[in-house]
Amino acid sequence: MADMSGGAAGAGGAPGGTAAGSAAHAAPAAGAEQAAPAAPAITYREAVSEALARELRRDPAVVCLGEDIGRAGGVFKTTAGLFDEFGPSRIWDTPISEQAILGLAMGAAMTGMRPVAEIMFSDFFAVCWDYLANEIPKMRYMTGGQVTVPLVVRTANGGGLGFGAQHSQAVENWALAIPGLKVVAPSTPADVIGLMASAVRSDDPVVFFEHKGLFASKGPGAPPGHVVPLGQASVARAGTDVTVVGLAATVPMALAAADRLAAEGVSAEVVDLRCLIPLDMASVLESVRKTSRLLIVEENPYQGGWGGTVASIVADEGFELLDAPIRRVAAACVPLPFADALEDEVIPTVEKVLTAARALLAY
Amino acid sequence: MTTTGLAGSAIGAGELLGLYERMAVIRRTEKAAHDLFLAGLVKGTTHLAAGHEAVAVGASAALRPDDYVFATYRGHHHAIARGATPEECLAELMSRATGVCKAKGGSMHLTKASAGMLGSYAIVGAHLPLAAGAAWSAKLRGSGQVAVAFFGDGATNIGAFHEALNIAAVWALPVLFVCENNLYMEYTPIGSVTAVANPAADRAPAYAIPAELIDGNDVVVVTEAVSRAAERARSGGGPTVIEARTYRHFGHSRTDPATYRPADEVAEWLRRDPLDIARGRLAEMGVAPEQVAEADERAARLVAEAVAAAKAAPAPDPREAFTDVWADGGSAWRT
Ligand SMILES: Cc1ncc(C[n+]2csc(CCOP(=O)(O)OP(=O)(O)O)c2C)c(N)n1
Ligand SMILES: [Mg+2]
């Protein structure tokens, strides 16, 4: 993709690819986005409110709803400033009624609005799952295409911050399991802005996962009009020896591991999926064609995690490209524990990525 | 909560005869659906609304064409009341390409978006927040539209009902919550699982929402109650709960013989058939019995033709399974 010099490298604090790696890398599709010029650095958190503000300014049909998103600016401050700029007719504080939040968003989306609903923690999807599993994704299909549901469900996702088992899960695989939802999980501030623009403008429902562990991370912002199409992975770092596929917080993790591997003389390519639906397997297969080794790093539990889908497609369609088995670094099959020392045991870490990569290279 | 009995009405004889005919069409469509199910031409399930006709037809008469209606899996009457044809509904039930949802929805999901009938929902209670959302949208757009959610007595015990009522009241949304209380949730008497006597109307005061408990078998009563509530909603007065008492003539679904209902209760409600009540009102208004008979004949002919046309319609093209997931018309999930 065309943004190798842009946001992806920034958030992870990792350098871009080696000259050799970059030269060897063939862009899998014509990049629709422009490489960002050196925009001032912003945090991932600020990027969320900036992304929403841009869409609210652009289209009067965009309206936000959620708990504490108004004057309070959101519990993660991801909607800071929106109430002041757009007022109560665009930014709606709701009761603690997750079913009503998603149900109202859906009803409004069916009747001409483009709602952006916030579910404070992705764990709370479980209390409004009917809307995500049965209502929002199926309406168009069940009615033979009569009804369009253009909405975005934003949510804070993922672990690493010690919030315990009910506020730390990475649940993008829940959404992946439902035909009819588009699933987005950016890793950089620029991608937050570019992907949010696509999500809000999409006529399909989009679940937009904002990773809690990335809110404080910094990277280049995005130029005006920045749009990242849904379903285009980015090569966050080019390399030749092993492909490391990540999503959201596991992208900077993979980039940090790639730095250490570079010191060991190994050239790792890091592919940031950016979206699970549409899933850009063309970019993954293209990378594996070059490296012949695939390591998938995901925060979902190994059982049922998105890496299983990626692995199965590569096994199906890229078997002859591989020189080694596909490996996955995923969360363990236990609820997320509270203590740092325990949480690190369960979710992926740079050390686990390194160990897996070294074993894969030695295969 | 106010209780409304048989009121004097502003509805004229001609209009009432039209409402009667529409109820007759629904009644015959439901009978046809029942027979087609028994004949093996309708697969899966049906939840027939024979007996509930006055709620749908009365409400439709009170609404604007651009208002929004959300119904349950027991929703054939709402689809037809809003303008779906018996033919496209029966074709949907019979898995035909000409079905109102291209045979992708089935009996439980009849939808006619172009007529403001925004769906039939099979997860109990799920559509109450959707109706509130459509009402919120109408409010945001300043369109003057109202949204109506029709639901069963059983739906008043699920969380979405309570979430929807609360937020609708807090945001003063132009939405009507119309409970079709047919005394049973599936096979269980609603009274045996509900803390209050009137499952919807008695809950409304907890959300500071005005409620009306009405005779859901009298199309005139329904029309007037919905008119009042819609007027209040359009003028910024917020939501209303209407609990319409009614009774289903068939079992809950499929071939349920409904033996759990006492015979005297069934007999009493059959004496209160909404078509009979409308016929009585027409007679009182001086409408000739021949005119009513003609309406019945037109309804019978329409439904007979609908059955024939639906039977003759082709099955869907198998490739239709892979359309309409996304707004671009397709179902691709990879790039
Ligand atoms: C959430 C949910 N729980 C249970 C069911 C199964 N179910 C379908 S209809 C029904 C009874 C609903 O009763 P009521 O709301 O009174 O509507 P009615 O069928 O009488 O019109 C039940 C339990 C369902 N579809 N959805
Ligand atoms: Mg009932």
Side-chain angles (χ1 to χ4, degrees):
Chain A
M1 293 295 129
D3 74 340
M4 286 171 53
S5 61
T18 62
S22 297
H25 175 67
E33 77 197 90
Q34 299 301 309
I42 59 169
T43 62
Y44 187 101
R45 180 194 322 280
E46 289 162 343
V48 175
S49 56
E50 170 66 16
L52 293 170
R54 288 184 184 192
E55 293 308 301
L56 284 155
R57 280 180 210 126
R58 191 187 56 78
D59 183 352
V62 178
V63 59
C64 297
L65 74 165
E67 294 159 21
D68 288 323
I69 67 164
R71 269 183 222 289
V75 293
F76 294 106
K77 297 289 171 267
T78 45
T79 55
L82 298 183
F83 187 85
D84 286 343
E85 181 174 351
F86 301 100
S89 64
R90 305 289 299 283
I91 311 296
W92 289 70
D93 275 323
T94 67
I96 306 166
S97 299
E98 278 75 13
Q99 297 191 65
I101 292 169
L102 294 194
L104 263 74
M106 178 175 169
M110 289 165 66
T111 54
M113 304 302 292
R114 288 190 178 270
V116 179
E118 178 180 305
I119 297 296
M120 190 184 291
F121 284 79
S122 62
D123 313 69
F124 307 164
F125 277 3
V127 299
C128 49
W129 191 236
D130 179 43
Y131 292 91
L132 288 163
N134 283 320
E135 312 299 338
I136 290 167
K138 294 175 179 159
M139 198 58 204
R140 163 170 283 280
Y141 189 80
M142 290 196 307
T143 62
Q146 292 181 65
V147 177
T148 301
V149 189
L151 59 75
V152 178
V153 179
R154 301 174 37 240
T155 192
N157 188 50
L161 297 184
F163 283 129
Q166 296 180 339
H167 288 70
S168 300
Q169 296 164 90
V171 303
E172 60 272 17
N173 59 328
W174 295 3
L176 174 66
I178 307 297
L181 296 176
K182 295 202 164 159
V183 183
V184 179
S187 73
T188 72
D191 278 355
V192 166
I193 292 171
L195 289 165
M196 186 72 80
S198 287
V200 172
R201 298 172 201 189
S202 167
D203 285 335
D204 296 312
V206 178
V207 184
F208 197 96
F209 289 97
E210 298 158 9
H211 200 288
K212 291 194 287 288
L214 297 177
F215 280 139
S217 67
K218 278 199 156 195
H226 184 61
V227 177
V228 177
L230 303 184
Q232 286 194 4
S234 87
V235 177
R237 175 186 178 118
T240 51
D241 298 333
V242 58
T243 297
V244 185
V245 173
L247 182 77
T250 68
V251 174
M253 190 181 292
L255 289 168
D259 265 354
R260 303 251 306 262
L261 290 169
E264 298 169 17
V266 171
S267 166
E269 177 149 303
V270 177
V271 176
D272 179 354
L273 285 177
R274 304 203 283 197
C275 296
L276 292 180
I277 304 287
L279 182 62
D280 182 3
M281 285 306 299
S283 290
V284 175
L285 288 162
E286 190 59 35
S287 178
V288 173
R289 182 179 307 282
K290 193 167 59 165
T291 63
S292 305
R293 283 178 165 73
L294 176 60
L295 175 62
I296 300 164
V297 187
E298 64 191 303
E299 215 177 303
N300 288 157
Y302 187 92
Q303 97 282 23
W306 57 258
T309 298
V310 172
S312 86
I313 293 171
V314 174
D316 257 4
E317 300 172 21
F319 185 69
E320 65 282 2
L321 304 176
L322 293 165
D323 286 342
I326 300 166
R327 295 289 189 220
R328 291 170 65 196
V329 174
C333 303
V334 298
L336 282 173
F338 164 69
D340 285 349
L342 299 177
E343 197 175 24
D344 283 352
E345 284 298 306
V346 175
I347 60 179
T349 61
V350 174
E351 285 308 321
K352 291 180 199 174
V353 176
L354 281 170
T355 304
R358 288 181 190 127
L360 192 51
L361 287 153
Y363 182 86
Chain B
M1 179 181 58
T2 56
T3 303
T4 312
L6 294 172
S9 166
I11 296 173
E15 190 186 348
L16 184 56
L17 186 60
L19 301 185
Y20 173 82
E21 183 169 334
R22 189 151 275 203
M23 291 198 292
V25 167
I26 293 169
R27 175 66 56 87
R28 287 169 191 278
T29 304
E30 294 298 62
K31 176 72 170 67
H34 182 73
D35 294 346
L36 291 165
F37 187 88
L38 292 180
L41 290 169
V42 172
K43 69 167 194 173
T45 186
T46 58
H47 300 76
L48 302 177
H52 289 223
E53 294 90 348
V55 181
V57 171
S60 274
L63 296 175
R64 288 189 346 201
D66 64 340
D67 288 334
Y68 301 118
V69 161
F70 296 76
T72 73
Y73 50 86
R74 192 182 310 288
H76 301 175
H77 54 328
H78 294 297
I80 294 172
R82 284 295 282 190
T85 64
E87 180 186 332
E88 63 192 347
C89 293
L90 290 171
E92 183 70 25
L93 269 61
M94 293 166 68
S95 306
R96 306 298 154 132
T98 53
V100 71
C101 299
K102 300 202 251 176
K104 287 179 173 174
S107 165
M108 296 202 284
H109 300 297
L110 297 186
T111 301
K112 182 82 175 175
S114 61
M117 200 285 177
L118 289 187
S120 305
Y121 297 82
I123 307 297
V124 167
H127 59 302
L128 277 76
L130 304 193
W136 179 48
S137 159
K139 184 180 170 117
L140 289 166
R141 290 179 287 110
S143 67
Q145 295 160 289
V146 305
V148 186
F150 296 96
F151 53 95
D153 43 282
T156 64
N157 290 326
I158 203 162
F161 168 88
H162 297 271
E163 292 194 13
L165 262 64
N166 182 62
I167 199 166
V170 173
W171 291 6
L173 299 178
V175 58
L176 279 55
F177 298 106
V178 179
C179 177
E180 294 173 58
N181 181 359
N182 59 14
L183 314 186
Y184 291 84
M185 52 147 287
E186 236 161 43
Y187 317 126
T188 303
I190 193 63
S192 69
V193 292
T194 307
V196 292
N198 304 301
D202 289 352
R203 262 71 172 263
Y207 301 104
I209 298 178
E212 286 202 49
L213 188 59
I214 65 167
D215 178 359
N217 280 10
D218 187 331
V219 71
V220 173
V221 168
V222 174
T223 306
E224 290 175 348
V226 173
S227 295
R228 278 191 296 277
E231 211 167 290
R232 179 166 52 243
R234 284 190 226 287
S235 61
T240 300
V241 168
I242 294 174
E243 181 171 329
R245 288 207 152 212
T246 186
Y247 205 72
R248 51 174 157 75
H249 288 188
F250 291 104
H252 168 71
S253 65
R254 295 170 57 92
T255 56
D256 165 28
T259 49
Y260 45 84
R261 302 194 303 191
D264 53 340
E265 179 188 285
V266 175
E268 186 196 323
W269 278 95
L270 288 178
R271 271 195 301 278
R272 307 219 61 256
D273 185 320
L275 276 82
D276 290 343
I277 292 174
R279 247 187 246 112
R281 281 185 170 267
L282 288 164
E284 272 171 36
M285 293 166 103
V287 175
E290 304 80 66
Q291 279 186 277
V292 178
E294 280 167 24
D296 278 321
E297 275 163 35
R298 280 193 300 272
R301 203 161 46 239
L302 179 73
V303 175
E305 285 166 8
V307 170
K311 278 183 177 168
D317 184 327
R319 286 170 299 188
E320 276 289 342
F322 304 102
T323 65
D324 296 325
V325 174
W326 307 123
D328 68 7
S331 60
W333 60 278
R334 284 176 56 184
T335 55

